[in-house]
Amino acid sequence: MTNLLFVAIGLFAGVLAGMFGIGGGIIIVPALILLARYSPQTATGTSLAIFLFPIGALGAWAYYKEGHVRIVPALLLALGVFLGSYFGARIAQHMSPLLLKRSFSVFLVLVAARMWWGK
């Protein structure tokens, strides 16, 4: 079930990345903290690992050396982001710019509220 969670988080992140150009810090890190119960350091390190070449290589390495990267979840998240970004991009092409801006704003408020008041 845990592996399915990582693929689902990746798909969700990919769809929103395709729609809004966002991913790791706004979606994956909070999801790993809230759903997978990772520490913020492990969530950040694992998120950086999915963007390893060339974007997160040095940052992921720094986290990896401290034991804060989970390789299998990073690979599963990357698979989800890879597939989800295509679908998110397709969805965004059929939305008005105003609806896209408003959707992104609502999403950010929901994530912020969950991070603020969540466990």
Side-chain angles (χ1 to χ4, degrees), residues 2 6 32-43 46 70 73:
T2 303
F6 296 126
L32 290 176
I33 291 169
L34 297 170
L35 301 176
R37 306 269 188 231
Y38 282 9
S39 71
Q41 293 89 342
T42 301
T46 302
R70 302 292 183 263

Side-chain angles (χ1 to χ4, degrees), residues 7-40:
V7 173
I9 292 170
L11 280 170
F12 184 65
V15 168
L16 293 180
M19 292 175 67
F20 306 124
I22 58 172
I26 294 175
I27 300 163
I28 295 172
V29 172
L32 290 176
I33 291 169
L34 297 170
L35 301 176
R37 306 269 188 231
Y38 282 9
S39 71

Side-chain angles (χ1 to χ4, degrees), residues 50-117:
I50 74 168
F51 300 109
L52 196 54
F53 297 108
I55 299 161
L58 291 176
W61 179 249
Y63 279 97
Y64 179 79
K65 289 191 314 187
E66 297 296 323
H68 293 295
V69 173
R70 302 292 183 263
I71 300 297
V72 172
L75 293 173
L76 293 170
L77 287 162
L79 173 64
V81 170
F82 177 74
L83 297 172
S85 64
Y86 171 78
F87 294 109
R90 299 281 304 187
I91 292 166
Q93 301 308 308
H94 300 286
M95 296 174 72
S96 72
L98 180 61
L99 179 58
L100 210 50
K101 286 191 330 188
R102 288 182 176 167
S103 299
F104 184 48
S105 299
V106 167
F107 177 76
L108 289 175
V109 168
L110 293 174
V111 169
R114 182 70 168 95
M115 291 292 291
W116 187 267
W117 286 294

